[in-house]
Amino acid sequence: MAPQRFREQFDQIQRSMPDVPLAMGPDDSAEFFYEKGVVLARDGEEARLVEDTVREHFTTFAGLTPDHVRRASPETNRTGITRIRVGDPGEGDRSGDPTVAHALRSLRTAEGRAGRRLISRNHVVSIAVNACPGDEPVPVPPTEPPNPAAAETAYDADTAVGVLVIDTGLMRDYRSYPLLAHTEGDAQIRECDDDGILQQYVGHGTFIAGLLAAVAPNTDLVVRNTLNDAGAILESEFGEKLFEAVDRDGWPDVISLSAGTSNGRTDGLLGVQAFMEELREQRTLLVAAAGNNASATPFWPAAYADLPGWEDAVLSVGALRADGEFGACFSNHGGWVKVYAPGERLTSALTGFGTPVPYVYQHSTYDACRYGFGYACTCQYPRHTGVLSEPGEAPAKPDQVMFEGHAQWSGTSFATPVVAGLVAQHMTAKGETDPRAARSQLLAANTEYAEVRGAHVPALLPPTWRPVSVDPPAPGT
């Protein structure tokens, strides 16, 4: 059987959230994960309207109990969002939650009168390589240079551009990587399991910081481990964590965010709306990953770049394949994705140098591209067998590798810090102090384009980035 990465990741995230029953949605497909038995509404009158409407609606459906409808969280958070319990999360299976679906339908008329959304699922927000993985990291020799390579720009504490990375934490030995000498932030909480094996997606934040520092050495990087728990967090908590990050460090010049979720909507994500509205009033530029579902469905918060009022505040980033000429097979796409950058087989720091650390692959590769592309994409190469893709009593032995510093990794997760770095580097080169103005100047001066799903799109290619062959390797290599 071919690997089922989305479902494999569902199991992985569910294990990281053992007390939060999850389902896949929407109800007729599997595009995102969400909390069972719970919906979100804005505090105050809207929350009360949602409670009353759902309770009244449920009296007309057999098997749906109005007594379940009650507040599941207090009205105390800065996001202004309340969790409302609408059903027993222990009922049903992971394929969907009819109770939540009924609750959403019950508010359609009221939403029409209000002219805006009043109710939402409580989605799982994840690093964009997690619920929809581009691939897993591949070790490369410590002697292989980063790609993109370090720009020839000196660090100057007085002019350094402030960049906040919201992701997993930093590996404990990250300072052994020279490009991260000026990086601060949170540690990865648990790097290895009890057997000394690297856990899935640790190093994600360190890899991103290394890319950003290579493209823009004159940056003061801060990495927060907001997404340390398997790279996933509930929407109801995510907005609050974003506020905590900027309250702790102040609003930076640039935020690099390689996380999000689709939600089947075109009007934003309810749980982060308060944060996004405050962002709009700041000078900060949010650079956000478009996601790895190979889909045109908006992925939030990146897709805010296409909503009125956020055009200058948010820059959504898709991934190009390793030669930079076309879109990567996994990259989300569409008019809401405003720019593309190299995001396939980039090279950066994963762990510190000098201490080899083992990693066991979680996902198996495919015999052919799972999205139907014909080039040598990361779906197929390099080949490996993973734990999660081989269920049963006698699974094939998973492949194990050793990391000694550098890795290659793919995803819109990594195209994003490349673009964030290019904005920061432009600010340094031009003496620009406004990151949103730098974004506009950078895109206006850009002359590079690539082809993505038949459309010609703007492509930002760092001067120090080296294209990588997309031809399949010779047999046996």
Side-chain angles (χ1 to χ4, degrees):
M1 175 183 292
Q4 301 292 318
R5 289 195 183 180
F6 189 82
R7 287 166 173 77
E8 292 163 15
Q9 282 308 111
F10 179 95
D11 294 335
Q12 188 85 345
I13 291 175
Q14 182 66 88
R15 282 192 291 271
S16 77
M17 298 180 171
D19 300 325
V20 182
L22 300 176
M24 297 180 186
D27 304 297
D28 57 352
S29 64
E31 296 179 8
F32 49 74
F33 307 152
Y34 64 97
E35 184 181 11
K36 292 178 66 178
V38 168
V39 296
L40 303 182
R42 294 178 183 86
D43 294 342
E45 289 299 325
E46 289 192 11
R48 284 186 282 275
L49 172 63
V50 168
E51 285 183 279
D52 293 344
T53 304
V54 172
R55 190 176 288 113
E56 180 181 355
H57 180 75
F58 276 13
T59 61
T60 64
F61 290 94
L64 298 179
T65 308
D67 294 341
H68 278 312
V69 182
R70 62 183 184 276
R71 302 294 170 94
S73 64
E75 298 180 19
T76 58
N77 64 75
R78 186 170 169 186
T79 61
I81 294 298
T82 295
R83 291 171 64 247
I84 299 175
R85 174 90 172 267
V86 295
D88 182 356
E91 294 181 354
D93 58 26
R94 68 183 193 176
S95 62
D97 188 337
T99 304
V100 168
H102 281 303
L104 296 176
R105 284 193 289 271
S106 73
L107 268 294
R108 286 179 179 172
T109 300
E111 287 182 329
R113 287 196 297 265
R116 67 173 182 172
R117 182 164 37 149
L118 301 173
I119 187 172
S120 168
R121 293 180 176 88
N122 192 15
H123 302 88
V124 174
V125 177
S126 60
I127 54 178
V129 74
N130 199 330
C132 44
D135 71 347
E136 292 174 84
V138 177
V140 295
T143 54
E144 184 166 330
N147 187 22
E152 294 183 358
T153 303
Y155 174 78
D156 176 11
D158 293 331
T159 62
V161 178
V163 181
L164 173 62
V165 174
I166 297 176
D167 207 86
T168 64
L170 291 161
M171 302 296 276
R172 64 180 180 277
D173 50 5
Y174 75 92
R175 287 194 184 277
S176 63
Y177 190 60
L179 287 173
L180 298 180
H182 306 290
T183 299
E184 303 289 344
D186 302 326
Q188 176 81 36
I189 293 175
R190 190 166 185 251
E191 297 181 9
C192 298
D193 63 17
D194 294 338
D195 296 321
I197 307 295
L198 279 175
Q199 297 195 106
Q200 192 176 22
Y201 301 121
V202 303
H204 192 262
T206 304
F207 193 93
I208 284 171
L211 290 171
L212 223 158
V215 176
N218 190 34
T219 48
D220 282 328
L221 282 174
V222 176
V223 179
R224 293 297 171 210
N225 63 1
T226 303
L227 299 164
N228 208 67
D229 192 1
I233 189 171
L234 287 173
E235 177 183 342
S236 57
E237 301 171 6
F238 186 48
E240 188 72 13
K241 292 293 185 181
L242 291 174
F243 275 125
E244 288 178 7
V246 296
D247 287 347
R248 180 175 179 180
D249 304 303
W251 286 90
D253 295 308
V254 178
I255 296 174
S256 180
L257 177 63
S258 294
T261 181
S262 59
N263 65 352
R265 304 277 306 203
T266 59
D267 57 353
L269 205 61
L270 198 61
V272 302
Q273 189 68 23
F275 177 83
M276 296 303 297
E277 288 174 357
E278 188 159 330
L279 168 74
R280 185 169 52 187
E281 303 307 314
Q282 303 293 328
R283 58 186 293 278
T284 298
L285 174 68
L286 173 62
V287 183
N292 305 327
N293 296 318
S295 170
T297 300
F299 187 84
W300 307 98
Y304 275 92
D306 206 40
L307 294 186
W310 281 279
E311 305 95 328
D312 297 327
V314 182
L315 182 56
S316 49
V317 183
L320 299 176
R321 71 185 196 182
D323 62 4
E325 296 182 7
F326 297 89
C329 70
F330 53 77
S331 181
N332 283 352
H333 52 90
W336 57 273
V337 183
K338 300 306 178 183
V339 74
Y340 292 77
E344 195 174 66
R345 298 192 173 103
L346 301 181
T347 302
S348 182
L350 186 78
T351 64
F353 290 80
T355 306
V357 185
Y359 177 74
V360 174
Y361 280 103
Q362 302 297 299
H363 304 286
S364 298
T365 46
Y366 294 71
D367 293 333
C369 175
R370 63 190 187 275
Y371 303 118
F373 282 64
Y375 75 102
C377 66
T378 58
C379 298
Q380 308 165 73
Y381 305 106
R383 301 201 64 77
H384 46 251
T385 298
V387 174
L388 300 176
S389 301
E390 302 295 333
E393 296 181 0
K397 184 178 179 180
D399 291 326
Q400 179 174 307
V401 293
M402 301 294 290
F403 284 101
E404 301 180 66
H406 278 157
Q408 281 189 349
W409 213 342
S410 305
T412 59
S413 276
F414 311 122
T416 297
V418 168
V419 171
L422 286 170
V423 172
Q425 182 72 350
H426 180 89
M427 292 176 69
T428 295
K430 302 299 182 181
E432 178 59 67
T433 59
D434 184 343
R436 298 183 183 181
R439 166 204 176 277
S440 299
Q441 294 162 12
L442 185 65
L443 293 179
N446 178 60
T447 59
E448 298 285 350
Y449 288 84
E451 184 176 325
V452 176
R453 309 281 178 148
H456 289 277
V457 299
L460 292 176
L461 307 178
T464 60
W465 169 75
R466 306 181 307 279
V468 178
S469 172
V470 296
D471 295 326
T477 61

